[in-house]
Amino acid sequence: MNKSIIAATVIALAASGCADMSATQRGTATGAGVGAGIGALLGGTTGGGGGERAAKGAVIGGAAGALIGNIWSNRMEKQKQAMEQATRGTGVQVTQTQDNRLKLEIPADVSFDTGRSDIKANFRPVLERFAQTLNENPAASVTIIGHTDSVGDDSVNQPLSVDRAANTRNYLAQRGVASNRIAIEGRGEREPIASNDDASGRARNRRVEIYVAERG
């Protein structure tokens, strides 16, 4: 079999089998698939033996890739568990996204008062612990996205959402997290998660979302 087909087939099978797996299993399977594909290519292009060498290369590459996948997933899982513990009872939602990023959703009653971008006192302990986990995982990068409700127009809400993200970044930077690891965005009122027709919905929409990813 053509070595390119071998590589593509192995990677596709690894990816398709990840849907019902845990985070650690997905990391292992994806790493194994990519490793196997690379191993097959290398095996097929080094010396004689053709398909046999490609198959051996796939096995070796798959084992190495699985190990790499586990290391990534375990680091992210430890960070997730640490943030779940630090935010328990605060209303902060800690989840893992489909693309294996860690997501912290910070509601308005924790993060910011209406129309303001200065960090509230009960947000600080969350950020303190978050900064600690980032300093323990230097391979992680962060994206902070600020949001507002629909009160006011976009000329106010857009810069307010950016200021909220920027102040969160600055607080983390003051705790030792390199600012070049942190990207910020402001999306104003454009991405509500609840109705803006009542106070409780508007409070949910005034939020900050923090995403953590493993840097390549």
Side-chain angles (χ1 to χ4, degrees), residues 103-153:
K103 178 183 178 182
L104 281 70
E105 188 169 308
I106 320 294
D109 58 350
V110 177
S111 54
F112 301 99
D113 287 322
T114 303
R116 300 185 64 91
S117 61
D118 49 317
I119 293 172
K120 294 170 65 172
N122 56 346
F123 191 20
R124 293 170 190 164
V126 174
L127 291 179
E128 297 278 354
R129 181 65 181 116
F130 183 50
Q132 183 180 347
T133 67
L134 289 174
N135 288 328
E136 292 168 354
N137 184 10
S141 61
V142 181
T143 300
I144 303 172
I145 303 174
H147 301 269
T148 71
D149 60 28
S150 63
V151 176
D153 58 33

Coordinates of all heavy atoms in Angstrom, one line a residue, residues 103-153:
K103 N -12.1 26.1 29.6 CA -12.8 27.3 29.5 C -13.3 27.7 30.9 O -13.9 26.8 31.6 CB -14.0 27.1 28.6 CG -15.0 28.4 28.5 CD -16.2 28.1 27.7 CE -17.1 29.3 27.6 NZ -18.3 29.0 26.8
L104 N -13.1 28.9 31.3 CA -13.7 29.5 32.5 C -14.7 30.6 32.1 O -14.3 31.5 31.5 CB -12.6 30.1 33.4 CG -11.7 29.1 34.3 CD1 -10.8 28.3 33.4 CD2 -10.9 29.9 35.3
E105 N -15.9 30.4 32.5 CA -16.9 31.4 32.3 C -17.2 32.2 33.6 O -17.7 31.6 34.5 CB -18.2 30.8 31.7 CG -19.2 31.8 31.2 CD -20.3 31.2 30.4 OE1 -20.0 30.4 29.5 OE2 -21.5 31.4 30.8
I106 N -16.9 33.5 33.6 CA -16.9 34.2 34.8 C -18.2 35.1 34.8 O -18.2 36.1 34.0 CB -15.7 35.1 35.0 CG1 -14.4 34.4 34.6 CG2 -15.6 35.6 36.4 CD1 -14.1 33.2 35.4
P107 N -19.2 34.9 35.6 CA -20.4 35.7 35.5 C -20.2 37.1 36.1 O -19.2 37.3 36.9 CB -21.4 34.9 36.4 CG -20.6 34.1 37.3 CD -19.3 33.8 36.6
A108 N -21.2 37.9 35.9 CA -21.1 39.3 36.3 C -21.0 39.5 37.8 O -20.3 40.4 38.3 CB -22.2 40.2 35.7
D109 N -21.7 38.6 38.5 CA -21.7 38.8 40.0 C -20.4 38.5 40.6 O -20.2 38.8 41.8 CB -22.9 38.0 40.6 CG -22.8 36.6 40.3 OD1 -22.0 36.2 39.5 OD2 -23.6 35.8 41.0
V110 N -19.5 37.8 39.9 CA -18.2 37.5 40.3 C -17.2 38.5 39.8 O -16.3 39.0 40.5 CB -17.7 36.1 39.9 CG1 -16.3 35.8 40.3 CG2 -18.7 35.1 40.5
S111 N -17.3 38.9 38.5 CA -16.2 39.6 37.9 C -16.3 41.1 37.9 O -15.4 41.8 38.3 CB -16.1 39.1 36.4 OG -17.4 39.2 35.8
F112 N -17.4 41.7 37.4 CA -17.5 43.1 37.2 C -18.9 43.7 37.5 O -19.9 43.0 37.3 CB -17.2 43.5 35.7 CG -15.8 43.1 35.2 CD1 -15.7 41.9 34.5 CD2 -14.7 43.8 35.5 CE1 -14.4 41.5 34.1 CE2 -13.4 43.4 35.1 CZ -13.3 42.2 34.4
D113 N -18.9 44.9 38.0 CA -20.2 45.6 38.2 C -20.7 46.1 36.9 O -19.9 46.3 36.0 CB -20.0 46.7 39.3 CG -19.8 46.2 40.7 OD1 -20.5 45.2 41.0 OD2 -19.0 46.8 41.4
T114 N -22.0 46.4 36.9 CA -22.6 47.0 35.7 C -21.9 48.2 35.2 O -21.7 49.2 36.0 CB -24.1 47.3 35.9 OG1 -24.7 46.1 36.4 CG2 -24.8 47.8 34.7
G115 N -21.5 48.2 33.9 CA -20.9 49.4 33.3 C -19.5 49.7 33.8 O -18.9 50.7 33.4
R116 N -18.9 48.7 34.5 CA -17.5 49.0 35.0 C -16.6 47.9 34.5 O -17.0 46.8 34.1 CB -17.5 49.1 36.5 CG -18.4 50.2 37.1 CD -18.2 50.3 38.6 NE -16.9 50.6 38.9 CZ -16.5 51.9 39.1 NH1 -17.3 52.9 38.9 NH2 -15.2 52.2 39.5
S117 N -15.3 48.2 34.5 CA -14.3 47.2 34.1 C -13.2 46.9 35.2 O -12.3 46.2 34.9 CB -13.6 47.7 32.8 OG -12.9 48.9 33.1
D118 N -13.4 47.5 36.4 CA -12.4 47.2 37.4 C -12.9 45.9 38.1 O -14.0 45.6 38.3 CB -12.4 48.3 38.5 CG -13.8 48.8 38.9 OD1 -14.7 48.9 38.1 OD2 -14.0 49.0 40.1
I119 N -11.9 45.1 38.5 CA -12.1 43.8 39.0 C -12.6 43.8 40.4 O -12.1 44.5 41.3 CB -10.8 43.0 38.9 CG1 -10.4 42.7 37.4 CG2 -10.9 41.6 39.6 CD1 -9.0 42.1 37.2
K120 N -13.7 43.1 40.6 CA -14.4 43.0 41.9 C -13.5 42.2 42.9 O -12.8 41.3 42.5 CB -15.8 42.5 41.8 CG -16.7 43.4 41.0 CD -18.0 42.7 40.7 CE -18.8 42.4 42.0 NZ -20.2 41.9 41.6
A121 N -13.8 42.4 44.2 CA -13.0 41.7 45.2 C -13.1 40.2 45.1 O -12.2 39.5 45.3 CB -13.3 42.3 46.6
N122 N -14.4 39.7 44.9 CA -14.6 38.3 44.9 C -14.1 37.6 43.6 O -14.1 36.4 43.5 CB -16.0 37.9 45.1 CG -17.0 38.6 44.1 OD1 -16.6 39.5 43.4 ND2 -18.2 38.1 44.1
F123 N -13.6 38.4 42.6 CA -13.0 37.8 41.4 C -11.5 37.6 41.7 O -10.9 36.7 41.0 CB -13.2 38.8 40.3 CG -12.8 38.2 38.9 CD1 -12.7 36.9 38.6 CD2 -12.6 39.1 37.8 CE1 -12.4 36.4 37.4 CE2 -12.2 38.6 36.6 CZ -12.1 37.3 36.4
R124 N -10.9 38.3 42.6 CA -9.5 38.3 42.8 C -8.9 36.9 43.2 O -7.9 36.4 42.7 CB -9.0 39.4 43.8 CG -9.2 40.8 43.2 CD -9.1 41.9 44.2 NE -9.5 43.2 43.7 CZ -9.7 44.2 44.5 NH1 -9.6 44.1 45.8 NH2 -10.1 45.4 43.9
P125 N -9.6 36.2 44.2 CA -9.1 34.9 44.6 C -9.1 33.9 43.4 O -8.2 33.1 43.3 CB -10.0 34.5 45.7 CG -10.6 35.7 46.2 CD -10.7 36.7 45.1
V126 N -10.1 34.0 42.6 CA -10.2 33.1 41.4 C -9.0 33.4 40.5 O -8.3 32.4 40.0 CB -11.5 33.4 40.6 CG1 -11.5 32.5 39.3 CG2 -12.7 33.0 41.5
L127 N -8.7 34.7 40.3 CA -7.5 35.0 39.4 C -6.2 34.7 40.0 O -5.2 34.3 39.3 CB -7.6 36.5 39.0 CG -8.7 36.9 38.1 CD1 -8.7 38.4 37.8 CD2 -8.7 36.1 36.8
E128 N -6.1 34.8 41.4 CA -4.9 34.4 42.1 C -4.6 32.9 41.8 O -3.4 32.6 41.5 CB -5.0 34.7 43.6 CG -5.3 36.1 43.9 CD -4.0 36.9 44.0 OE1 -2.9 36.3 43.9 OE2 -4.1 38.2 44.2
R129 N -5.6 32.1 42.0 CA -5.4 30.7 41.8 C -5.1 30.3 40.3 O -4.3 29.5 40.0 CB -6.6 29.9 42.3 CG -6.4 28.4 42.2 CD -5.3 27.8 43.1 NE -5.1 26.4 42.9 CZ -4.0 25.8 42.4 NH1 -3.0 26.5 42.0 NH2 -3.9 24.5 42.4
F130 N -5.8 31.0 39.5 CA -5.6 30.8 38.0 C -4.2 31.2 37.6 O -3.6 30.4 36.9 CB -6.6 31.6 37.3 CG -6.6 31.4 35.8 CD1 -6.6 30.2 35.2 CD2 -6.6 32.5 34.9 CE1 -6.6 30.0 33.9 CE2 -6.6 32.3 33.6 CZ -6.6 31.1 33.0
A131 N -3.7 32.3 38.1 CA -2.3 32.7 37.8 C -1.3 31.6 38.3 O -0.4 31.3 37.6 CB -2.0 34.0 38.4
Q132 N -1.6 31.1 39.4 CA -0.7 30.0 40.0 C -0.7 28.8 39.1 O 0.4 28.3 38.8 CB -1.2 29.6 41.4 CG -0.3 28.6 42.0 CD -0.8 28.2 43.4 OE1 -1.6 28.9 44.0 NE2 -0.2 27.2 44.0
T133 N -1.9 28.4 38.6 CA -1.9 27.2 37.7 C -1.2 27.5 36.4 O -0.6 26.6 35.8 CB -3.4 26.7 37.4 OG1 -4.0 27.7 36.6 CG2 -4.1 26.5 38.7
L134 N -1.3 28.7 35.9 CA -0.6 29.1 34.6 C 0.9 29.1 34.8 O 1.6 28.7 33.9 CB -1.1 30.5 34.1 CG -2.5 30.5 33.6 CD1 -2.9 32.0 33.3 CD2 -2.7 29.7 32.4
N135 N 1.3 29.6 36.0 CA 2.8 29.6 36.2 C 3.3 28.2 36.4 O 4.5 27.9 36.1 CB 3.1 30.4 37.5 CG 2.9 31.9 37.2 OD1 3.1 32.4 36.1 ND2 2.5 32.7 38.2
E136 N 2.4 27.3 36.8 CA 2.8 25.8 36.9 C 2.8 25.1 35.6 O 3.4 24.0 35.4 CB 1.9 25.1 37.9 CG 2.1 25.6 39.4 CD 1.0 25.1 40.3 OE1 0.0 24.5 39.7 OE2 1.0 25.3 41.5
N137 N 2.2 25.7 34.6 CA 2.0 25.1 33.3 C 2.5 26.1 32.2 O 1.7 26.7 31.5 CB 0.6 24.7 33.0 CG 0.4 24.0 31.7 OD1 1.4 23.6 31.0 ND2 -0.8 23.7 31.3
P138 N 3.8 26.3 32.1 CA 4.3 27.4 31.2 C 4.0 27.1 29.7 O 4.1 28.0 28.9 CB 5.8 27.4 31.4 CG 6.1 26.0 32.0 CD 4.9 25.6 32.8
A139 N 3.5 25.9 29.3 CA 3.2 25.6 27.9 C 1.8 26.2 27.6 O 1.4 26.1 26.4 CB 3.3 24.1 27.7
A140 N 1.0 26.6 28.6 CA -0.3 27.1 28.3 C -0.4 28.5 27.8 O 0.4 29.4 28.3 CB -1.2 26.9 29.6
S141 N -1.3 28.8 26.9 CA -1.6 30.2 26.5 C -3.0 30.5 26.8 O -3.9 29.6 26.9 CB -1.3 30.3 25.0 OG -2.1 29.5 24.2
V142 N -3.4 31.8 26.9 CA -4.7 32.2 27.4 C -5.3 33.1 26.4 O -4.6 34.0 25.8 CB -4.5 32.8 28.8 CG1 -5.9 33.3 29.3 CG2 -3.8 31.9 29.7
T143 N -6.6 33.0 26.2 CA -7.4 34.0 25.5 C -8.5 34.5 26.4 O -9.3 33.6 26.9 CB -8.0 33.5 24.2 OG1 -6.9 33.0 23.3 CG2 -8.8 34.5 23.5
I144 N -8.6 35.8 26.6 CA -9.7 36.3 27.5 C -10.6 37.1 26.6 O -10.2 38.0 25.9 CB -9.0 37.2 28.6 CG1 -8.0 36.4 29.4 CG2 -10.1 37.8 29.5 CD1 -7.2 37.3 30.4
I145 N -11.9 36.8 26.7 CA -12.9 37.5 25.9 C -13.9 38.2 26.8 O -14.6 37.5 27.7 CB -13.7 36.5 25.0 CG1 -12.6 35.8 24.1 CG2 -14.7 37.2 24.1 CD1 -13.2 34.7 23.3
G146 N -14.1 39.5 26.7 CA -15.1 40.2 27.4 C -16.4 40.4 26.7 O -16.4 40.5 25.5
H147 N -17.5 40.4 27.5 CA -18.8 40.6 26.9 C -19.6 41.6 27.8 O -19.3 41.8 28.9 CB -19.6 39.2 26.9 CG -18.9 38.1 26.1 ND1 -19.2 37.9 24.8 CD2 -18.0 37.2 26.5 CE1 -18.5 36.9 24.4 NE2 -17.7 36.4 25.4
T148 N -20.7 42.1 27.2 CA -21.6 43.0 27.9 C -23.0 42.6 27.6 O -23.3 41.8 26.7 CB -21.4 44.5 27.4 OG1 -21.9 44.6 26.1 CG2 -19.9 44.9 27.5
D149 N -23.9 43.3 28.3 CA -25.3 43.1 28.0 C -25.7 44.1 26.9 O -24.8 44.8 26.4 CB -26.2 43.2 29.2 CG -26.1 44.6 29.9 OD1 -25.7 45.6 29.3 OD2 -26.3 44.6 31.2
S150 N -27.0 44.3 26.6 CA -27.4 45.1 25.5 C -27.7 46.6 26.0 O -28.1 47.4 25.1 CB -28.6 44.5 24.8 OG -29.7 44.5 25.7
V151 N -27.5 46.9 27.3 CA -27.8 48.2 27.7 C -26.7 49.1 27.2 O -25.5 48.9 27.3 CB -27.8 48.3 29.3 CG1 -28.0 49.7 29.7 CG2 -28.9 47.4 29.8
G152 N -27.2 50.3 26.6 CA -26.2 51.2 25.9 C -26.0 50.7 24.5 O -26.4 49.7 24.0
D153 N -25.2 51.6 23.8 CA -24.9 51.2 22.4 C -23.5 50.7 22.2 O -22.8 50.6 23.2 CB -25.2 52.4 21.4 CG -24.3 53.6 21.8 OD1 -23.2 53.4 22.3 OD2 -24.8 54.8 21.6

